[in-house]
Amino acid sequence: MSTSSSRTHSSDGQHTDRSAPTPSLSRYDFVLALIPTTFLLTVVAAGLVGVAVPKALAVGSVLALTAVVDALFINPPTGR
């Protein structure tokens, strides 16, 4: 008697469930990715334009803070 299952064995011997949904990225995942990206882009822009790095990082911190304030207070997370 054979039964079919949606579970498979991976190479390390663990069971994986193919029917489990893949988690999608949320708005807050993008905010978390935006914070270091903002700092990186402001440092690169400072090098290209010739602005002092501390001044560029100050601008980058304001932009990152804006994203955090938006994510926490303007559009806060809600329970499921």
Side-chain angles (χ1 to χ4, degrees):
M1 179 167 157
S2 78
T3 59
S4 110
S5 172
S6 64
R7 290 185 153 207
T8 60
H9 293 281
S10 63
S11 61
D12 60 356
Q14 294 181 351
H15 294 286
T16 57
D17 190 3
R18 281 192 262 160
S19 64
T22 305
S24 63
L25 295 176
S26 72
R27 177 173 209 261
Y28 305 101
D29 294 324
F30 290 114
V31 169
L32 288 175
L34 180 68
I35 295 167
T37 304
T38 302
F39 286 112
L40 179 67
L41 290 177
T42 54
V43 170
V44 169
L48 293 174
V49 177
V51 177
V53 173
K55 289 182 182 181
L57 288 176
V59 171
S61 66
V62 170
L63 295 174
L65 179 66
T66 303
V68 171
V69 167
D70 176 65
L72 291 177
F73 300 110
I74 298 173
N75 297 306
T78 58
R80 291 182 182 213

